Amino acid sequence: MKTSLSQQRLLIVTGKGGVGKSSVSAALALASALKNQRTLFCEINTEERISQFLGKSEVGEEITQLEENLWGVNLRPAQAMREYALMRLKLEFLYKLVFENPLVRNFLRFIPSLSELVMLGKLLYHVKETQKDGSPRFHRVIMDAPATGHAISFLRVPQVILETVPPGPMAKEARWMRDLLIAPDMTAAVLVTLPEEMPVNETLDLAKVLRDEVQVQPGAVILNGTIAPRFTHAEVQSLPAPLANLAENHLERALLTETSLQRLDTLGLDLLTIPRIFSQDFDRKVVESMAEHLAPLLGDLP
Amino acid sequence: MTAATFSHVLSQKEVVICVGAGGVGKTTISAALALRGSLMRRRSLVCTIDPAKRLANSLGLESLGNTETEINPSQLAQADLPTHGHLFAMMLDMKRSWDEFIEQNVPAGKRERILQNRFYQSLSTALAGSQEYIAMEKLWQLRNKSTYGLIVLDTPPTSHAIDFFDAPNRLLDFLDNDFARVALAPAMAAGKIGLKLFNFGSSYLTKALANVAGTETLEELANFLFSIESLNEKFRNRAKQTRDMLASPSTAFVLVTAPGRERLDEAEKFHRLLIENQMKPTAIVVNRVHPPLPKMLWEMAKEQAEPVRSKLSATLTENNILAKQDAAGVDIIKSFAGTTPVIQIPRFPLDVHDLKSLWHTSQYLLGEKTIVS
């Protein structure tokens, strides 16, 4: 197993809706923290999941330590906008006067992708953030990115802004963000998918779009919910009808896992599998077992 | 009367809007509904915004474009389905739809200025909410053509339930925004590019904004607003028309979800939101439910010799866990559904991506088959 994601400071986890993206990214964050690497887990303006997965109380908009080496934050546009505006305006009262004016707030929504830009800006700021001694505050930032289509627009925001707005403060912000996102030694995308035909199709397309259009380097593919072969064809044929169906479905699912692996392998990326988990409750134990499967991807600190 | 729900919808309604989170099979449900509508002798169109080509795949088409394509009856025949219906499909191309909208509504001389404006380009491709706005616009146009008896719209997956209903309003909010009017008024009155647009001495608001977004950005935005000002009336009228269309008794909403626990909060929110907006869903469709297996399978499995017996037992146990999880999910959905019927579609052994599988799905939607619990 190569450990090709050992150096990247930002891992962007994405995939089609419903493939288990959130649980896989939470597990990846846990795996990173368990390797004694200070890890920040970012969710983007969504129903918070990490605290549920790890059995902790809610994280919210402020960076909060979840456990040793693991912090979480749920980015919200309003909060990110406030931090960004304060950085530029310096004065809290001016911020309140201007940005908390409902008319202005409405107006700002129309500036293309400003809210996405400020959220992305906050996240990328933490990627580069250092402690007093110059060491990075976080060794690794893991972003539970939106699902495929939204992720592409989200990651393209700095580029779109560079193309849309004239030179000025927004364009300047957009430029350093874009440069960080497309630097292959800093940023990698992790694509989560399921062993089914359509999710695999979409992953193959997504990898291409990321590489060629968004220019964010795809680093690894995680095939979530694989089914290991259990029945042989001969066994299926020897069974009475209803049992034969059951066994045949299982066999077909296992074959589908096999085909999915072969098709994903053509991407030439690291390919990890997480076996389908059958458990009554989706709790911390499940996330821990997923983390074990993902650990080889991360490597150790240099 | 869940069994009658969809036969009523498909025979009476003109527009069916499928909403729900991404990855729950909305596209499949939309296509299955349109397929059945067409077999009830209504010219039916399924319109998707999903660029993942899933709909094209499941209808046996190579690809879908911004105009409607009829499914070849030979495709239906190949799947052993009746061929008397007329089923059409299309995939909404945002950029093309926006360009068409501008072409239809802006006099020739003024078009270029809009089409070339950088804000227009991001509006038509990247701006959050513009997808939903143009989807509504297109739906309204399609319905007004009166070519179709039934139009099923597969809505874009939104990361937040509220986005879909809020998005078209964003554009209007902006156009109605007094701040924009006041701050940008000199520019809009002058209507000339290159004019110094802001009197920065006049307003701390514009000053602070310019500090954050940049003077040039605000100037260019002002230019854009000026160039689309003639459309304001149009936007406002259309927004009212689409609101009326959504509220019309001939429009139905269908909420699609999966039974997994991580989907339930979202589904509940969506359901509440639809009701709050006077768009009570006709049904909640719970897609990909693992049905419980008949008890006799366990008995039969015990009669098998090893190692098959253990393998069967492991498989049955796994299925049982999934079925129990899903049943618990469905119970939660029923508890917030109130009077909204809940219709379950089983998880099929393989992906649904052909006409035959769409037909199977539709049999559960119409109540011709049900999951026995």
Side-chain angles (χ1 to χ4, degrees):
Chain A
M1 178 82 217
K2 291 177 286 175
T3 52
S4 62
L5 297 184
S6 54
Q7 64 166 342
Q8 281 87 354
R9 303 278 306 285
L10 172 62
L11 299 183
I12 299 168
V13 184
T14 184
K16 178 171 147 42
V19 297
K21 186 176 59 63
S22 292
S23 52
V24 169
S25 47
L28 196 60
L30 187 62
S32 172
L34 290 172
K35 283 178 177 280
N36 291 322
Q37 298 171 12
R38 289 190 299 276
T39 305
L40 175 64
F41 182 76
C42 280
E43 290 176 89
I44 314 286
N45 196 21
T46 181
E47 294 289 317
E48 188 179 309
R49 307 287 297 282
I50 182 91
S51 38
Q52 287 173 29
F53 287 144
L54 300 180
K56 308 278 171 173
S57 53
E58 192 162 301
V59 168
E61 299 176 2
E62 302 287 342
I63 292 184
T64 307
Q65 184 153 19
L66 285 156
E67 54 193 79
E68 201 183 357
N69 292 317
L70 184 58
W71 287 259
V73 67
N74 189 359
L75 299 178
R76 300 278 183 197
Q79 169 86 354
M81 178 68 91
R82 182 174 175 276
E83 288 180 19
Y84 171 65
L86 278 177
M87 213 163 69
R88 296 210 52 90
L89 297 175
K90 310 284 195 277
L91 298 169
E92 177 87 32
F93 86 93
L94 195 56
Y95 169 79
K96 282 196 173 144
L97 267 175
V98 177
F99 285 83
E100 290 180 4
N101 175 330
L103 295 177
V104 174
R105 213 183 293 169
N106 237 343
F107 174 81
L108 287 176
R109 293 202 304 185
F110 197 75
I111 294 185
S113 312
L114 184 59
S115 65
E116 286 84 359
L117 184 79
V118 291
M119 284 194 288
L120 200 52
K122 180 172 159 63
L123 185 146
L124 296 176
Y125 168 79
H126 294 307
V127 174
K128 297 184 91 170
E129 194 179 12
T130 51
Q131 308 184 102
K132 283 197 189 93
D133 63 0
S135 66
R137 180 177 177 197
F138 302 107
H139 295 117
R140 188 176 280 126
V141 175
I142 292 176
M143 160 159 92
D144 181 7
T148 312
H150 289 278
I152 292 170
S153 344
F154 188 68
L155 297 173
R156 284 196 71 233
V157 158
Q159 184 59 42
V160 169
I161 287 191
L162 281 173
E163 288 161 11
T164 309
V165 309
M170 271 182 78
K172 200 175 144 215
E173 289 293 319
R175 186 173 306 278
W176 77 262
M177 291 186 205
R178 197 265 325 257
D179 292 349
L180 201 160
L181 283 174
I182 66 173
D185 55 339
M186 286 297 281
T187 304
V190 175
L191 315 183
V192 184
T193 190
L194 292 178
E196 292 173 22
E197 189 174 341
M198 293 296 163
V200 170
N201 288 351
E202 197 166 307
T203 307
L204 297 175
D205 290 347
L206 176 61
K208 199 167 147 36
V209 171
L210 284 174
R211 199 164 4 207
D212 301 346
E213 289 169 36
V214 190
Q215 294 186 321
V216 169
Q217 195 53 45
V221 178
I222 294 167
L223 187 60
N224 187 25
T226 57
I227 303 277
R230 180 178 282 160
F231 296 97
T232 64
H233 280 288
E235 284 170 344
V236 171
Q237 271 154 18
S238 72
L239 286 167
L243 288 178
N245 278 343
L246 184 76
E248 194 178 8
N249 285 347
H250 192 279
L251 182 65
E252 277 176 8
R253 292 246 159 229
L255 287 174
L256 206 48
T257 294
E258 195 47 46
T259 347
S260 301
L261 280 169
Q262 284 165 10
R263 296 181 63 211
L264 292 169
D265 204 38
T266 59
L267 288 171
L269 300 171
D270 275 348
L271 179 53
L272 273 91
T273 56
I274 300 178
R276 175 95 197 233
I277 291 157
F278 297 92
S279 147
Q280 196 64 60
D281 297 302
F282 197 95
D283 55 12
R284 188 181 170 101
K285 256 199 254 156
V286 176
V287 181
E288 279 172 0
S289 97
M290 291 169 83
E292 275 172 40
H293 288 279
L294 298 176
L297 194 62
L298 296 173
D300 297 308
L301 278 183
Chain B
M1 290 307 286
T2 54
T5 302
F6 275 117
S7 50
H8 174 78
V9 166
L10 295 179
S11 60
Q12 304 298 321
K13 304 285 181 177
E14 290 167 24
V15 174
V16 176
I17 301 178
C18 293
V19 297
V24 295
K26 241 183 339 209
T27 309
T28 303
I29 300 297
S30 306
L33 287 173
L35 170 64
R36 289 308 285 260
S38 76
L39 297 179
M40 292 163 101
R41 297 190 188 276
R42 303 183 81 195
R43 282 170 78 86
S44 300
L45 169 69
V46 52
C47 176
T48 183
I49 296 152
D50 190 342
K53 300 190 176 63
R54 262 166 289 178
L55 180 62
N57 281 324
S58 51
L59 294 173
L61 297 171
E62 272 297 303
S63 63
L64 284 174
N66 206 32
T67 49
E68 310 101 279
T69 312
E70 181 164 7
I71 311 308
N72 194 324
S74 69
Q75 293 279 352
L76 294 163
Q78 266 179 28
D80 298 322
L81 298 180
T83 53
H84 61 262
H86 292 284
L87 175 62
F88 297 78
M90 66 175 286
M91 190 178 85
L92 186 69
D93 177 329
M94 272 208 292
K95 176 88 175 81
R96 286 268 270 296
S97 303
W98 270 108
D99 289 354
E100 281 169 22
F101 179 78
I102 298 295
E103 276 156 27
Q104 283 159 14
N105 294 294
V106 179
K110 291 185 173 173
R111 264 179 225 158
E112 276 312 292
R113 185 160 158 207
I114 296 180
L115 295 175
Q116 296 307 321
N117 186 291
R118 292 193 279 188
F119 279 97
Y120 169 73
Q121 301 194 351
S122 76
L123 170 77
S124 59
T125 54
L127 184 67
S130 69
Q131 199 178 22
E132 288 83 356
Y133 183 87
I134 202 69
M136 283 296 156
E137 164 70 27
K138 193 83 193 180
L139 179 61
W140 188 87
Q141 281 180 18
L142 287 166
R143 199 189 113 171
N144 260 40
K145 278 208 299 195
S146 307
T147 317
Y148 302 102
L150 174 72
I151 301 173
V152 184
L153 177 72
D154 168 32
T155 59
T158 45
S159 35
H160 299 280
I162 185 87
D163 282 0
F164 184 71
F165 301 107
D166 185 43
N169 292 329
R170 286 195 198 182
L171 198 63
L172 289 164
D173 278 355
F174 178 68
L175 295 170
D176 282 332
N177 190 329
D178 292 333
F179 169 72
R181 199 133 311 180
V182 174
L184 309 178
M188 295 175 77
K192 285 180 188 151
I193 308 179
L195 203 76
K196 189 68 191 164
L197 299 174
F198 289 91
N199 176 2
F200 288 107
S202 69
S203 160
Y204 67 87
L205 284 176
T206 35
K207 221 180 210 171
L209 270 183
N211 204 338
V212 173
T215 315
E216 292 86 351
T217 305
L218 294 185
E219 285 181 357
E220 197 152 321
L221 188 53
N223 277 327
F224 174 61
L225 285 173
F226 180 77
S227 63
I228 62 162
E229 206 189 14
S230 61
L231 287 174
N232 287 8
E233 200 54 35
K234 190 93 201 168
F235 279 134
R236 249 186 294 274
N237 282 342
R238 190 49 52 81
K240 192 185 169 314
Q241 286 164 327
T242 51
R243 261 199 300 269
D244 291 348
M245 174 178 71
L246 295 184
S248 152
S250 64
T251 300
F253 292 86
V254 175
L255 173 56
V256 185
T257 184
R261 193 193 293 171
E262 70 281 5
R263 297 281 165 197
L264 299 184
D265 289 349
E266 179 99 40
E268 180 172 11
K269 256 194 203 159
F270 234 129
H271 186 251
R272 201 177 50 230
L273 209 72
L274 285 165
I275 290 173
E276 279 168 15
N277 285 277
Q278 275 85 50
M279 299 186 274
K280 186 181 186 321
T282 308
I284 300 178
V285 173
V286 191
N287 196 19
R288 303 196 191 121
V289 176
H290 292 89
L293 296 174
K295 290 263 183 301
M296 63 149 195
L297 287 185
W298 266 268
E299 302 305 319
M300 288 177 72
K302 278 183 200 152
E303 291 159 18
Q304 303 301 315
E306 288 295 0
V308 178
R309 189 203 307 170
S310 304
K311 291 181 182 184
L312 286 168
S313 154
T315 312
L316 286 167
T317 306
E318 289 168 359
N319 271 287
N320 204 22
I321 290 172
L322 297 174
K324 270 192 185 156
Q325 272 172 356
D326 289 355
V330 171
D331 281 345
I332 294 174
I333 292 168
K334 283 182 176 161
S335 71
F336 67 69
T339 55
T340 312
V342 175
I343 297 173
Q344 301 181 51
I345 313 292
R347 181 179 184 109
F348 295 107
L350 295 171
D351 290 357
V352 175
H353 56 261
D354 57 26
L355 282 165
K356 192 124 203 164
S357 325
L358 284 182
W359 173 259
H360 286 309
T361 303
S362 76
Q363 289 184 299
Y364 286 88
L365 286 168
L366 275 286
E368 295 154 359
K369 287 185 178 172
T370 49
I371 291 184
V372 194
S373 47

